[in-house]
Amino acid sequence: MTATHYLYLINAGVFSIMGTCLLLIWRRHRSQTFARDMGLATLCAVLLPLGYLLHLVLPPQLTLLPTLLALQGAIPSMLFLTSGVLRLAGRRLSPLAIITLAALATLTLVLPPAGHKLFYWPILYLLVLCGTGALAMRWLWRQNGLERWIGPLLILLGLNQLFLIIYAEQGLAANILWATLIRTAIGVIFALAALEGAIRDSARLAVRFQQMTEHTVQGVLVTDSERILYANPAVRNLYGVPLGQGAYATLRELPAGLFCEQTLQRYHQMLQNGQQDVAHWEDRCEVAGGRKLELRFEAWRVEWDGQQATQILITDDSERNASARALLHQASHDELTGLPNRSVLMRHLREYCYLDDGSMQCTLVVLNIDRFKLFNQSQGDLTGDQLLKAFAAALAQALGETGELMRLGGDEFAIIDPSGGDVRGIAERLRAACMQALKVPGGEYFIDASMGMAVFPTHADSAEALLRAANAAMYQAKRTPGTSLAMAEQRFVQMSRDTLATEQALRKGIRNHEFYLEYQPKIDAASGKLLGFEALARWYRPEVGQVSPVEFIAVAERTGLIGELGSSLLELACCQIARWRSELGACVPVAVNVSPVQLLNPGFPQRVKELLEHTGIPAESLTLEITESAAVDNLEDTRQQLTVLEELGIKVAMDDFGTGFSSLSMLRQLPLSTVKIDRGLIEPLPAPDAVAVVRAICQLAAALDLEVVAEGIETLEQAITARDAGCHVFQGYFYAKPQAVADAGAWMARLYAEQAGASGTAGSVASLAG
C-alpha cells in the first residue's frame, strides 16, 4: 500500500471523526440544525476517498463499485454542505434547488466516459462551492465570529478542484490533502458556532426562567433539603427573609414556622430516590406580618449547579379557598335566613338514614306557613322576608340543641332530629313557636303553620322516602284549619302519588283526546216528551279505566286545566249537534256545563261565536249551564259575560241552584233562562218541608219568567210531587241514565218519528219511566 493510499484513509478517518462530532453536538442541542447538516455532509464525504482508494486497488472489471460509492457520497455531501451553510446564515435550501443540484450532479457523474469524470465533476463541484462561498461571504462577513470565514474557506475548497481539472488523477493526492485541511477547518468552525449557539440558547433559557420566576406571583424555591439554593421575590416577600441565588441559607437558620423541615426533607428524599416524580402537599403556615396563609406546594427533582436538588412551586390558595368556601356556603345555605338549604337536608338525611336494622332513628318535620302568599300580597315582599327571618329565629330558639333547622325554599322549613327521641316534645315546641307573635319592623303578626312529621325507619326506609312521607303528612295537615301537625301514614304518600299521577294523566288525556261526552235526556214534566240533553263529561283513562267526573273535574280546576278541558268538551258537543242536525234534520237543545274559569275568560263569548259559525248550528241548539257559586263570587263579571252570550242568542241555565249562598237579587240581575234545582233538594221529596222549598223556588222562578228543571228524579213519587210543585222539566235516572251518542241519537229519531201534535196526559210521566 502506497503513501497515497494512506492519505485516502487518513482523509476518510478525519472526515468520520469530524462528522460524528458535529452530529453529537446537534444531538445535544437540537436547535443547531446547521451542525446536523454539516455533520451529514462530512460523513457522506468519507465515501469519496474510499471510492478513489477502491478504484486504485480493485481490478478493472470492478470499476463500477467505486463509481457507485463515489456517486452515493458526492451528491448527498454537496447537498448537505450547501444546506448547512445556508442554515448557518439563517436561510433554507429550497426543494427546487435540491432537485436541480441532485440532477446536475447525477448527470455529471453518470454521463461522461470514465476517463473524463475527474474533469466534469470537479467543474460542477467548483461552481457550487464557489457560489455557496460567495453567498456565505455576503451573509456572514459582517459577523464578528469565526463564521465569517466560512465563505472564503468554501471558495478555497472549490478552487481546490483545480488540481483535478488541470492534473486529473495526478492532482488527486494534493486535492485530498487540501480538502482534508479545509474541511477540517470548516468543521471546527461549525462545531464552535454550534457550541456558541447552544450557549446563547442556554442564556436565553436562563433569562426566560429568571423573567418567569422573578415576576410570577407564585413562589419558586430550590433546596437540597438542608439549604435554600434559590428563592424568587415571591418567596422572599411571602416569608419576609433575604433569600436568593448565591445567598444560601440553611433551613435551621430561618424563623420557626416558615418551613416544615421534616416535610421538605421527606419529599426531597422521595423525589431523589425516584419514589415520586412530582410531590404535592398543602399546609397552613404563618408568614411575614403574622398572616396565616393556606399554601399549596408542588415539587420535582432538578439539577442545580451540578448537584441534585428539589424545585418547589408555592401557591397561595388562601383567597381561592376562601372563595370556594363562600361559594359552598352560598350553595348550601339560604341567603335570607342563613339556614342550611335542601341540598344539606338531603345530605344529612342520607347520613342519618343508613341503617336497615332499625337501630338508629331520625325524625323529620316539614313545616309550611299557611296563607303566606296572602301575607306577601297585603304587606309586601320586604315585610314577608322579615317575617320569615323572625319565624326562623323563633323556630331555632324553640328547638335549641335538639334539632337542625333548615329552609327548603319559600315558606317551607324542615327540622331534623338525628336522635329520633322525644317526638311529642318536638311537636309541642314547634306548636309553641307558631303561637308566638312575630315582631318585625312593621308590627307584630301571628301565623299558622302546617307540619308533617315522619320517623325513620318507622315511616320510611330511605332519606328520599322519609322526605316524601313528611311532605305528604304536611299536606294532610293543611286540611285542618289553624296550626296543625300530622304524623306520616302510608296512605298519605299513596294519596299524593295518586294525585300526581292523575294530574299527569289528565294533561296527556286532553292532548290525546281521551275525553268524550254522554247525554242525559231532559223530559217535559207535563207531556213526558224529550225536550233536550245535558252533555256530561266522561274520561276513560288507559290502564286504569273509567274515572269519576267528580275526581277529574276537581283535578282540572286545581291544576288550571279546566279551561282547556271545558273548551275541548264544548267544541265536541257543538260538533255532535251539527252531526245530529245533518243526520236527523233537527236536534233538541243540548246543555253544556261551563266552568267559572271559562265563563270569566274575556274571550269566551267570542269562542262560542266562532264554534257556532264553524259548526253551522243555530244558537238555540246550545244551552250553557253555570254554577251558582261562580255567579255569586263574580256577579258583575258574570252579568257582563251572560249579556254578551244573550246577544248571541245563547240561553244560560243556573245549575245546582239552592246549594250555595243563593241570592234573589242575583236571579233578577242575571240574564238567565232556566234554573236547575239541585238534586239535594229533590231527593227528600215528597217530604212536606222539601215540597215547600221546591214550591217556593218554582214560584220565584215563575215570577222571573224562568224555566225550572228538577235534577235527580229517581222515583215516580218524586216526579209527581215535583210536577205538582211547579217544575217544568225533569232529569234523572227514573227516566234515563246518561247515554252514549248512538242511544241519544236513536231516542231523538223516535221523537221526530212520532206525531208532532200528540199531547201528554197526567199519566204520561209514569208512562216514560220504563
Side-chain angles (χ1 to χ4, degrees):
M1 184 176 289
T2 65
T4 304
H5 296 167
Y6 286 112
L7 182 62
Y8 294 154
L9 293 176
I10 292 172
N11 177 266
V14 171
F15 284 0
S16 298
I17 294 172
M18 183 58 64
T20 303
C21 290
L22 289 170
L23 288 178
L24 291 175
I25 292 174
W26 168 76
R27 184 179 180 185
R28 185 68 183 272
H29 306 286
R30 293 299 180 105
S31 61
Q32 313 303 315
T33 53
F34 62 85
R36 177 201 62 192
D37 290 353
M38 184 54 67
L40 293 174
T42 307
L43 288 178
C44 291
V46 173
L47 299 178
L48 294 174
L50 294 179
Y52 295 147
L53 181 60
L54 291 176
H55 175 72
L56 296 174
V57 300
L58 292 177
Q61 60 269 22
L62 297 178
T63 55
L64 182 60
L65 179 60
T67 302
L68 293 175
L69 196 63
L71 183 65
Q72 293 178 357
I75 297 175
S77 176
M78 181 180 65
L79 295 175
F80 280 121
L81 176 64
T82 306
S83 176
V85 173
L86 292 178
R87 285 183 182 274
L88 181 63
R91 288 165 172 78
R92 301 286 295 272
L93 188 63
S94 67
L96 181 60
I98 294 174
I99 295 173
T100 302
L101 289 176
L104 289 174
T106 302
L107 294 173
T108 303
L109 288 172
V110 173
L111 293 180
H116 296 83
K117 293 185 184 297
L118 286 179
F119 178 77
Y120 290 104
W121 169 255
I123 291 177
L124 175 64
Y125 205 35
L126 182 147
L127 294 175
V128 172
L129 290 176
C130 289
T132 305
L135 292 175
M137 287 185 64
R138 178 183 176 184
W139 293 332
L140 299 174
W141 188 253
R142 294 183 180 180
Q143 297 186 12
N144 295 325
L146 294 175
E147 296 91 336
R148 64 188 302 184
W149 296 104
I150 292 294
L153 289 174
L154 285 175
I155 294 175
L156 286 177
L157 187 61
L159 295 176
N160 185 44
Q161 304 303 310
L162 293 174
F163 285 106
L164 299 177
I165 297 172
I166 298 173
Y167 300 106
E169 290 191 8
Q170 286 76 20
L172 194 58
N175 173 270
I176 291 177
L177 177 61
W178 285 106
T180 303
L181 295 176
I182 296 172
R183 276 185 175 274
T184 301
I186 293 175
V188 170
I189 292 175
F190 267 81
L192 293 175
L195 292 175
E196 288 182 2
I199 292 172
R200 287 194 299 271
D201 289 346
S202 299
R204 283 195 297 269
L205 290 175
V207 171
R208 189 178 303 168
F209 172 78
Q210 183 178 9
Q211 289 176 344
M212 287 190 300
T213 58
E214 295 293 312
H215 297 92
T216 183
V217 296
Q218 292 178 300
V220 180
L221 182 76
V222 180
T223 179
D224 60 2
S225 79
E226 294 183 357
R227 298 178 301 168
I228 295 178
L229 306 178
Y230 171 79
N232 71 338
V235 174
R236 299 196 292 270
N237 294 334
L238 191 64
Y239 292 103
V241 290
L243 304 174
Q245 191 171 10
Y248 298 151
T250 63
L251 296 177
R252 292 188 178 90
E253 294 174 353
L254 299 178
L258 289 184
F259 295 102
C260 181
E261 185 177 353
Q262 292 79 9
T263 301
L264 285 179
Q265 290 178 347
R266 183 174 75 255
Y267 283 112
H268 175 79
Q269 292 299 326
M270 294 173 63
L271 292 169
Q272 300 305 322
N273 295 337
Q275 295 176 316
Q276 283 184 295
D277 293 328
V278 180
H280 302 271
W281 72 94
E282 297 180 356
D283 197 4
R284 185 177 179 86
C285 304
E286 183 174 346
V287 297
R291 296 175 299 159
K292 289 188 177 294
L293 300 180
E294 298 176 28
L295 302 180
R296 175 165 47 91
F297 300 86
E298 185 176 3
W300 55 89
R301 183 174 59 254
V302 296
E303 182 181 336
W304 192 269
D305 293 338
Q307 64 175 338
Q308 294 298 321
T310 297
Q311 181 173 333
I312 304 173
L313 185 67
I314 306 173
T315 305
D316 181 7
D317 281 346
S318 302
E319 291 186 6
R320 185 174 70 89
N321 291 345
S323 299
R325 285 192 293 269
L327 288 175
L328 179 61
H329 185 275
Q330 183 179 357
S332 59
H333 286 73
D334 172 50
E335 183 178 0
L336 177 65
T337 62
L339 295 174
N341 61 13
R342 184 181 294 272
S343 64
V344 178
L345 169 70
M346 296 309 302
R347 185 169 70 247
H348 286 191
L349 283 181
R350 292 188 183 101
E351 293 174 0
Y352 301 147
C353 305
Y354 66 93
L355 297 179
D356 295 332
D357 58 0
S359 58
M360 182 175 183
Q361 284 193 335
C362 171
T363 300
L364 172 65
V365 179
V366 175
L367 184 151
N368 185 270
I369 300 176
D370 294 338
R371 301 176 301 283
F372 186 68
K373 183 180 294 186
L374 174 64
F375 185 90
N376 269 341
Q377 291 174 350
S378 63
Q379 302 300 321
D381 292 340
L382 178 60
T383 305
D385 289 345
Q386 293 170 345
L387 184 75
L388 287 173
K389 293 170 66 175
F391 185 57
L395 290 177
Q397 183 178 5
L399 291 172
E401 301 295 330
T402 61
E404 302 175 15
L405 177 62
M406 304 173 187
R407 185 188 178 200
L408 305 186
D411 56 357
E412 193 168 74
F413 295 82
I415 299 96
I416 303 178
D417 181 8
S419 66
D422 186 9
V423 174
R424 185 185 299 273
I426 294 176
E428 291 177 354
R429 287 196 296 272
L430 291 176
R431 285 195 181 95
C434 294
M435 294 176 63
Q436 297 176 8
L438 299 177
K439 297 181 180 180
V440 297
E444 289 187 352
Y445 299 94
F446 291 90
I447 62 172
D448 292 320
S450 299
M451 295 172 280
M453 179 179 289
V455 179
F456 172 85
T458 304
H459 301 121
D461 57 0
S462 66
E464 291 75 10
L466 187 66
L467 181 58
R468 287 197 300 268
N471 264 320
M474 182 268 291
Y475 284 111
Q476 188 67 22
K478 279 190 172 294
R479 299 186 177 185
T480 303
T483 296
S484 59
L485 184 145
M487 185 63 71
E489 296 182 24
Q490 183 60 38
R491 63 186 181 94
F492 296 161
V493 178
Q494 189 60 45
M495 288 166 56
S496 298
R497 290 174 180 169
D498 292 345
T499 300
L500 178 61
T502 302
E503 292 178 0
Q504 298 298 316
L506 182 67
R507 297 177 187 274
K508 295 180 182 178
I510 296 174
R511 185 179 65 239
N512 298 335
H513 306 289
E514 296 173 2
F515 291 87
Y516 63 96
L517 294 174
E518 287 186 347
Y519 299 86
Q520 187 170 28
K522 293 183 177 180
I523 306 302
D524 186 292
S527 65
K529 292 195 302 184
L530 177 68
L531 293 181
F533 290 106
E534 179 182 1
L536 301 174
R538 297 293 184 261
W539 180 24
Y540 185 83
R541 180 176 166 187
E543 300 179 359
V544 173
Q546 209 70 35
V547 181
S548 168
V550 176
E551 180 180 351
F552 70 75
I553 292 297
V555 173
E557 290 176 343
R558 184 172 62 249
T559 57
L561 295 172
I562 189 66
E564 183 179 357
L565 176 61
S567 179
S568 65
L569 294 176
L570 179 60
E571 181 178 2
L572 193 62
C574 290
C575 291
Q576 185 58 52
I577 294 172
R579 281 192 291 270
W580 277 332
R581 289 178 58 83
S582 176
E583 295 170 0
L584 304 176
C587 180
V588 295
V590 176
V592 180
N593 290 284
V594 177
S595 71
V597 174
Q598 281 180 278
L599 178 64
L600 298 178
N601 186 332
F604 178 67
Q606 181 63 29
R607 171 63 174 162
V608 175
K609 181 180 179 182
E610 292 174 354
L611 282 175
L612 294 178
E613 293 174 351
H614 174 70
T615 56
I617 64 174
E620 58 267 19
S621 297
L622 179 66
T623 301
L624 301 181
E625 295 187 0
I626 65 172
T627 61
E628 181 184 10
S629 58
V632 171
D633 294 340
N634 305 276
L635 184 59
E636 182 57 30
D637 293 338
T638 301
R639 187 187 65 78
Q640 293 178 5
Q641 293 289 79
L642 296 187
T643 300
V644 177
L645 291 172
E646 184 182 35
E647 293 173 356
L648 295 176
I650 303 293
K651 293 183 178 181
V652 179
M654 178 170 288
D655 197 9
D656 301 333
F657 184 79
T659 59
F661 299 99
S662 303
S663 170
L664 301 182
S665 174
M666 175 188 66
L667 291 179
R668 185 178 60 82
Q669 295 181 41
L670 297 179
L672 300 172
S673 63
T674 304
V675 171
K676 297 185 69 174
I677 302 176
D678 184 77
R679 65 180 65 247
L681 299 179
I682 299 298
E683 183 180 1
L685 296 178
D689 54 345
V691 173
V693 172
V694 172
R695 181 176 291 111
I697 295 174
C698 292
Q699 291 173 350
L700 173 63
L704 298 175
D705 195 22
L706 297 176
E707 184 181 58
V708 179
V709 178
E711 291 186 287
I713 299 294
E714 297 185 357
T715 66
L716 177 60
E717 290 78 8
Q718 290 175 340
I720 295 174
T721 307
R723 182 195 60 188
D724 294 342
C727 296
H728 308 112
V729 182
F730 293 157
Q731 183 179 344
Y733 280 14
F734 179 69
Y735 297 100
K737 295 182 178 180
Q739 299 181 358
V741 172
D743 296 333
W747 193 328
M748 236 186 320
R750 289 195 303 269
L751 171 68
Y752 294 135
E754 296 176 356
Q755 293 298 327
S759 58
T761 62
S764 61
V765 173
S767 67
L768 285 172

